[in-house]
Amino acid sequence: MIGSKEPMVSVLVPVWNVEKYIERCARSIFEQTYDNLEIIFVDDYTPDNSIQIIERILLEYPQRVKQTQIIHHEHNRGLSAARNTAVDACNGEFIFHVDSDDWVELNAIELLLKKQQETSADIITGRAYCHLNDYVQEYNDGGINLNRNDAIMAFIERKTSVTIWRRLIRTSLYIDFNIRCIEGINMEEDCQVIVPLFYYSTKVAGITDYIYHYNRMNVRSYVNNLRNNSFLQDQLLKSRLSVVDFLSDKESIFKLAINKRIIKDYYFLMLLAVRSNNKKRYFKFLDMINSEKNYWEEIGWDSRWKKTIDSNYYLLKICYPIRVIISLMKYQSFTYILNLILVRIKIKGMFFLTKFKKMRDSK
């Protein structure tokens, strides 16, 4: 039972190009078992019918009509700006973020708020499911029962997700400490704010209930396009460097941890550059790694042989597929790896066969 004083919770939803998913998202919010809600959709100049779908569905929930507002951007400003607009407009004591292609359990806010009233925590985190094309898995939920400092370390070390959703957050943290996403940097924008939010919180808590459904089936999502998009990769790096800046004058344990983490990010992006045959980006990140000599052991460069291979574009390109297979062997079965290799060979074969047929037909 929620206490006699029911705090208002602001549910914030950025909307852009999600007409395939927005109905499920909106209904899961309108049907929440907790009543005292403020629901804010931010139309980031979406080119599809997402907003019309929201307006149509809202009519089926008359009790939510006065609680709901739709804010329109005059042009597309990106996810970070949409999140900021929603935070600036909200009046609730607590904030609950929902991405517009995801959905939530109908008692999600009630469960989170019950835990908040039991603990007086500033941030309460619930568990989530991750939905992929042909299966559902438990989303990385490390950090549910961590204290504030351990949670921050887990974010830095990527032992738990930095997502802003699935959490009930005290609104005053945003206001009192001027915490905002960086407009124009939309890849992993959650990372930009989650560390400051936890840093300035006095107490955090978690529940073991699964309250959120993370949709990985949206082919337009940033996450699903990261590996082949250098622009998104640069945005991700900028988001993570913003955390480096934030922690630069904070406790030494956090500064050391983020410096160790960022060289791993450079290394990851360097490998993606090799994977996409982009020599210019490879040398860009190689230079960044060379400038962080104190942390080479974090990427195995205390081994002379590994450093020699990684520092040569062509050697690394030859060795990269072998590394991927070795990495997979740690976590996947032999049958899974064999099937993956066979699928890749089949795809490559179909590509060259199609190319051959076009060349033959053109003669």
Side-chain angles (χ1 to χ4, degrees):
M1 287 287 293
I2 303 297
S4 57
K5 181 186 176 183
E6 294 192 344
M8 179 188 286
V9 176
S10 297
V11 183
L12 310 183
V13 188
V15 179
W16 188 82
N17 220 9
V18 285
E19 65 181 9
K20 184 178 178 180
Y21 309 103
I22 191 62
E23 179 171 350
R24 179 177 57 190
C25 175
R27 289 190 186 279
S28 74
I29 295 169
F30 294 149
E31 294 178 14
Q32 284 295 302
T33 56
Y34 188 72
D35 291 328
N36 193 13
L37 300 181
E38 174 188 55
I39 304 166
I40 300 176
F41 295 96
V42 177
D43 168 20
D44 193 28
Y45 206 69
T46 184
D48 63 0
N49 295 315
S50 296
I51 300 303
Q52 290 89 330
I53 292 171
I54 294 170
E55 292 171 337
R56 172 176 58 78
I57 295 168
L58 181 57
L59 297 177
E60 300 178 27
Y61 301 89
Q63 77 280 15
R64 298 297 190 193
V65 172
K66 289 186 177 180
Q67 297 178 334
T68 302
Q69 62 172 311
I70 300 174
I71 301 174
H72 301 276
H73 282 173
E74 294 182 356
H75 56 89
N76 179 250
R77 293 169 53 190
L79 181 55
S80 289
R83 290 212 193 280
N84 290 341
T85 295
V87 170
D88 291 339
C90 77
N91 300 289
E93 185 177 343
F94 294 94
I95 284 172
F96 184 66
H97 293 277
V98 182
D99 282 356
S100 51
D101 49 359
D102 299 338
W103 71 101
V104 292
E105 289 293 314
L106 302 187
N107 61 347
I109 294 174
E110 181 179 3
L111 290 172
L112 290 168
L113 199 54
K114 179 182 178 182
K115 187 68 173 182
Q116 193 284 322
Q117 295 200 332
E118 291 173 356
T119 61
S120 298
D122 293 321
I123 303 173
I124 306 90
T125 302
R127 285 179 167 168
Y129 287 116
C130 179
H131 295 257
L132 295 105
N133 288 327
D134 54 356
Y135 65 97
V136 178
Q137 66 183 26
E138 181 181 296
Y139 190 63
N140 178 3
D141 70 345
I144 290 291
N145 294 311
L146 295 178
N147 62 37
R148 166 190 170 274
N149 284 3
D150 288 344
I152 293 171
M153 290 297 290
F155 292 141
I156 293 171
E157 295 169 354
R158 292 296 184 271
K159 293 180 178 178
T160 187
S161 68
V162 296
T163 52
I164 202 71
W165 40 257
R166 75 189 177 107
R167 310 182 197 275
L168 190 72
I169 303 167
R170 193 180 296 277
T171 307
S172 60
L173 290 173
Y174 278 99
I175 298 170
D176 294 348
F177 300 102
N178 194 31
I179 297 173
R180 293 292 184 271
C181 296
I182 304 170
E183 185 164 348
I185 303 177
N186 302 304
M187 181 66 207
E188 210 172 82
E189 83 296 337
D190 296 15
C191 175
Q192 303 165 18
V193 298
I194 197 67
V195 172
L197 286 168
F198 269 74
Y199 183 83
Y200 290 121
S201 66
T202 56
K203 187 177 182 180
V204 299
I207 60 175
T208 57
D209 303 84
Y210 289 86
I211 58 148
Y212 197 95
H213 295 268
Y214 171 40
N215 175 22
R216 281 292 304 276
M217 295 178 285
N218 184 357
V219 295
R220 293 193 178 103
S221 70
Y222 290 131
V223 172
N224 283 336
N225 289 280
L226 174 65
R227 288 187 177 273
N228 299 310
N229 190 314
S230 58
F231 175 76
L232 291 180
Q233 292 167 20
D234 287 341
Q235 292 237 315
L236 177 143
L237 183 59
K238 288 177 181 178
S239 287
R240 295 186 178 180
L241 287 173
S242 75
V243 180
V244 176
D245 290 342
F246 174 76
L247 294 174
S248 63
D249 60 350
K250 304 300 188 294
E251 292 89 329
S252 58
I253 186 174
F254 297 141
K255 288 192 291 185
L256 178 60
I258 195 64
N259 286 333
K260 287 183 176 181
R261 178 65 239 184
I262 203 68
I263 195 171
K264 293 180 181 179
D265 293 334
Y266 294 156
Y267 188 72
F268 168 69
L269 294 172
M270 185 180 79
L271 291 180
L272 287 184
V274 172
R275 181 176 179 266
S276 58
N277 302 312
N278 192 325
K279 287 181 67 175
K280 183 177 180 180
R281 286 180 64 78
Y282 161 81
F283 284 111
K284 169 185 174 180
F285 293 114
L286 180 63
D287 288 343
M288 290 180 175
I289 292 170
N290 280 322
S291 68
E292 299 289 346
K293 191 171 184 178
N294 292 337
Y295 305 104
W296 278 359
E297 65 180 23
E298 298 300 318
I299 57 171
W301 274 25
D302 47 339
S303 164
R304 181 165 58 93
W305 294 109
K306 187 172 188 299
K307 182 180 182 301
T308 299
I309 293 171
D310 289 342
S311 300
N312 185 296
Y313 176 82
Y314 296 102
L315 272 177
L316 182 56
K317 191 166 184 62
I318 293 169
C319 295
Y320 180 72
I322 300 172
R323 286 192 187 180
V324 172
I325 293 173
I326 293 173
S327 177
L328 283 171
M329 288 174 66
K330 294 180 181 178
Y331 306 104
Q332 302 290 350
S333 67
F334 174 77
T335 304
Y336 174 90
I337 297 168
L338 181 61
N339 286 336
L340 187 64
I341 293 171
L342 291 174
V343 168
R344 296 286 293 182
I345 292 172
K346 182 179 179 181
I347 292 171
K348 287 285 187 182
M350 290 174 64
F351 170 77
F352 286 117
L353 181 61
T354 302
K355 195 170 183 180
F356 173 75
K357 285 181 178 179
K358 286 183 178 179
M359 290 174 62
R360 184 190 63 187
D361 294 342
S362 65
K363 290 182 179 179

